[in-house]
Amino acid sequence: NSIQQEKREKWFEQFLQNNKQPCQIEIMHFHKNTGDGDRENDLVMNRDDQYFTVSISSIAISENEYTMQYEDLIYNDINTTRFAFANTTY
């Protein structure tokens, strides 16, 4: 609903005000921990044990590589994979 959407937008705006150039860790922390205690509408949500957040993913791209982080919230497991860009010249 629009009230919940407005709350989420405000949370994100506040996050960006406090983190001008957020790193991957800060972004993952935001997604995992942001809310006001309403389990049905926090970013990590649980709606009657039928619809719930099961994971959080993030990709950070730098000049030479990209890093993918996947956090499984069911099994409490975090996987990080780094891939170097191929050094190709055409």
Side-chain angles (χ1 to χ4, degrees), residues 3-87:
I3 293 172
Q4 297 309 322
Q5 183 176 349
E6 288 175 17
K7 273 188 188 181
R8 289 174 175 222
E9 288 174 4
K10 184 178 271 187
W11 294 337
F12 189 59
E13 288 170 8
Q14 290 173 343
F15 171 74
L16 291 178
Q17 285 176 357
N18 295 327
N19 301 277
K20 298 298 183 195
Q21 293 186 335
C23 68
Q24 191 172 27
I25 292 170
E26 293 166 332
I27 293 168
M28 292 291 286
H29 183 269
F30 167 79
H31 280 280
K32 186 174 181 182
N33 298 292
T34 298
D36 59 8
D38 178 358
R39 287 178 30 134
E40 291 194 0
N41 295 295
D42 288 346
L43 294 187
V44 173
M45 63 159 198
N46 183 336
R47 295 184 177 157
D48 299 322
D49 291 324
Q50 291 185 354
Y51 305 101
F52 48 90
T53 307
V54 297
S55 65
I56 303 169
S57 300
S58 172
I59 296 176
I61 301 172
S62 70
E63 201 173 302
N64 301 320
E65 68 179 12
Y66 66 92
T67 304
M68 179 175 178
Q69 185 169 338
Y70 173 83
E71 183 166 354
D72 184 319
L73 300 175
I74 303 298
Y75 295 104
N76 198 28
D77 186 36
I78 299 173
N79 292 296
T80 302
T81 306
R82 286 186 171 78
F83 296 95
F85 291 125
N87 189 6

